[in-house]
Amino acid sequence: MASIEQMESVESILNQHLPPGEREQVLRVLYGKETKPLSLPQAALTTAEKNDFEIKGYSFSAAPEQLRAPRIVRVGLIQNKIVIPTDRPLKEQRDALHQHISTIVKAAAESQVNIVCFQEAWTMPFAFCTREKKPWCEFAESAEDGPTTELVKDLSKQYNMVIISPILERDTVHGETIWNTAVVVSKGRYVGKHRKNHIPRVGDFNESSYYFEGNTGHPVFQTEFGKIAINICYGRHHPLNWFMFGVNGAEIVFNPSATVGELSEPLWGIEARNAAIANSYFTCAINRVGTEKFPNEFTSGDGRPAHQEFGHFYGSSYVAAPDGSRTPGLSRIKDGLLIAEMDLNLCRQVKDVWGFQMTQRLDMYAKSIDAAIQPNYEPQIIN
């Protein structure tokens, strides 16, 4: 049996062991309506092969309408390992990631992608497990004009795309504080940012040693290619977080993440797909890949021996649609670019069929939640 670090993907196991007819029915139940493979240009395939990353593409369909033209958008999700070891100089680590991800963005552009999203804190190892302030806080930079945002502006302008760049932010205006932030850039222009709403305090996710909950609400960014939002990592465990992006009109919600197998993998394929169904929008779940080893040992507060590794980041990035269909995931062990073509008309079509927004009773829940947060609240229990 393959170890958690060796297993390629759930899909590869299903393909290997299930006969075609049974596999089709299993995937229908697990993944919904089949997504059709996209034909990707040879230039992008060559870029992926030369630089050793996986590239896959799938297409979601919507019904043709008489009064609206299709609203076709291509999104690209990038998952990756760190490039060089964590004990190397910080600038070398960041520069190596800048160069590597720029190459994958090139393949996305060759595939006519309109919106690209990177994984959480993509410019650095996910060092928050260590609780060490030095040297990891040095990775924090300005969201508006730091070196990473300047690089992303150049890529965005060169390729005429929207790029979502999740970084560790240094807020020089408010006391040099640090935030976990996603920066949105369009055609070379800084559009805005969103800070992570929910901060984990579980396992080795010691992020509150570095930053607290964000203060930007639930912004939706109106772009040329649709209304987009970013639900950063741990926020995917909070249904109301997904919900508020939908209330504000999001059509695509990206979930850049960094999460490990032993903790969350059984939840991974469910949460973003469920959010797409419940909120009638597309969701894009992105997770980093690999096992990162740090120079110093750290403990988890659970009686286990001190260790230098966080765990295995299992990739498996995927896209889900409001009708419950989803793409297969990328590899659990390899860098990759997942491309999904979608017709945003599907969002309204699903709303018309299922009526979730019409039947959701916001007035009732608003009153109940307002009551529940009061110090004198008494649960509605009948004996």
Side-chain angles (χ1 to χ4, degrees), residues 140-159:
E141 57 182 284
S142 167
E144 289 77 14
D145 57 8
T148 298
T149 297
E150 292 304 310
L151 168 71
V152 169
K153 287 177 183 176
D154 291 341
L155 293 171
S156 173
K157 184 175 182 180
Q158 179 181 356
Y159 298 128

Side-chain angles (χ1 to χ4, degrees), residues 7-11 54 77 79 265 268-269 285-289 312-319 326-334 338:
M7 190 176 90
E8 174 67 32
S9 67
V10 171
E11 292 84 4
E54 179 183 28
L77 284 54
Q79 65 176 44
E265 196 162 11
W268 177 253
I286 307 129
N287 187 26
R288 70 171 57 202
V289 184
H312 178 69
F313 296 102
Y314 52 82
S316 306
S317 303
Y318 70 96
V319 178
R326 57 153 286 186
T327 69
L330 288 178
S331 169
R332 296 178 71 262
I333 57 177
K334 190 171 183 178
L338 177 63

Side-chain angles (χ1 to χ4, degrees), residues 91-137:
K91 189 175 187 305
E92 288 184 17
Q93 293 185 51
R94 189 181 67 193
D95 287 351
L97 282 163
H98 280 183
Q99 181 177 355
H100 181 50
I101 299 308
S102 295
T103 300
I104 303 180
V105 171
K106 176 177 179 288
E110 291 167 339
S111 303
Q112 293 83 51
V113 166
N114 306 117
I115 307 170
V116 169
C117 186
F118 307 148
Q119 66 197 22
E120 181 184 21
W122 72 274
T123 62
M124 60 180 292
F126 208 72
F128 312 120
C129 54
T130 67
R131 298 189 296 276
E132 298 171 338
K133 300 302 179 68
K134 184 179 179 181
W136 312 118
C137 287

